[in-house]
Amino acid sequence: MRVLGIDPGYAIVGFGFIDKIGHKLTPVQYGCIQTKPDTPPEQRLLQVYESAGALMDKYKPDAIAVEKLFFNRNVTTAFDVAQARGAIILAAAQRGLPIGEYTPLQVKQAVVGYGKAEKKQVQEMVKMFLKLSAVPKPDDVADALAVAICHAHTAVMSGKINEVNRS
């Protein structure tokens, strides 16, 4: 199973593709999509949409996993990020990809085993799970890989639960 993890953003979208074969997780490609602040908003969204779609076409994930938004301060930023998140989800839906959505608490629980883990703990676990020599930078990239790991762990369990429920 190949999973594309997304840490949605407006200026920076973190992405990470991982393969899960059995219990082994392997990084395929990771990085970020960046938009410039002086670019008109509609052009920034178009760039996020087209770049995400191009990555999906190139690396052919079986599913995408997107972090759910949680904002308690800046509403303007929340709207911008929500629009970028929508553009990414649209790109995935157009390609018929299943979409998993996870809260930051769920991601931390799946990756670290503790829902209130610190960012540094999550980053170190991403490095360990994927056998990387360093924590991916910027933080958005490590966050995206953490979302992909969360989905890789969760999707297997969800599939087993659905099988039992169908029986």
Side-chain angles (χ1 to χ4, degrees):
M1 170 174 65
R2 177 164 290 174
V3 178
L4 166 57
I6 296 283
D7 179 37
Y10 188 61
I12 300 174
V13 175
F15 70 85
F17 290 87
I18 64 168
D19 283 345
K20 180 172 194 228
I21 301 167
H23 293 291
K24 185 178 178 189
L25 299 175
T26 307
V28 176
Q29 182 63 278
Y30 51 90
C32 59
I33 300 165
Q34 294 183 305
T35 65
K36 292 185 172 36
D38 57 344
T39 304
E42 65 277 8
Q43 291 301 313
R44 292 176 87 175
L45 290 175
L46 180 62
Q47 183 184 348
V48 167
Y49 168 78
E50 288 179 341
S51 297
L55 287 165
M56 290 175 206
D57 292 342
K58 182 174 182 177
Y59 294 101
K60 309 228 180 291
D62 298 305
I64 75 162
V66 183
E67 188 170 72
K68 286 184 180 179
L69 299 182
F70 173 77
F71 284 94
N72 59 0
R73 280 179 246 124
N74 190 335
V75 174
T76 303
T77 301
F79 284 131
D80 291 343
V81 174
Q83 288 178 327
R85 186 176 181 277
I88 294 162
I89 289 172
L90 174 61
Q94 286 179 321
R95 288 159 177 78
L97 295 171
I99 301 162
E101 299 178 69
Y102 302 94
T103 65
L105 185 94
Q106 289 171 307
V107 173
K108 290 174 182 180
Q109 183 70 43
V111 176
V112 180
Y114 176 60
K116 294 185 180 180
E118 297 293 323
K119 190 177 235 359
K120 182 80 173 143
Q121 291 172 292
V122 175
Q123 293 172 342
E124 287 300 322
M125 290 303 290
V126 165
K127 178 182 158 191
M128 187 193 78
F129 273 125
L130 300 177
K131 297 177 178 51
L132 301 172
S133 59
V135 172
K137 296 290 181 198
D139 290 351
D140 312 78
V141 178
D143 292 347
L145 287 166
V147 175
I149 292 167
C150 174
H151 186 78
H153 290 318
T154 305
V156 172
M157 185 56 72
S158 295
K160 290 181 192 266
I161 291 169
N162 289 337
E163 284 176 27
V164 169
N165 288 339
R166 283 192 292 258
S167 301

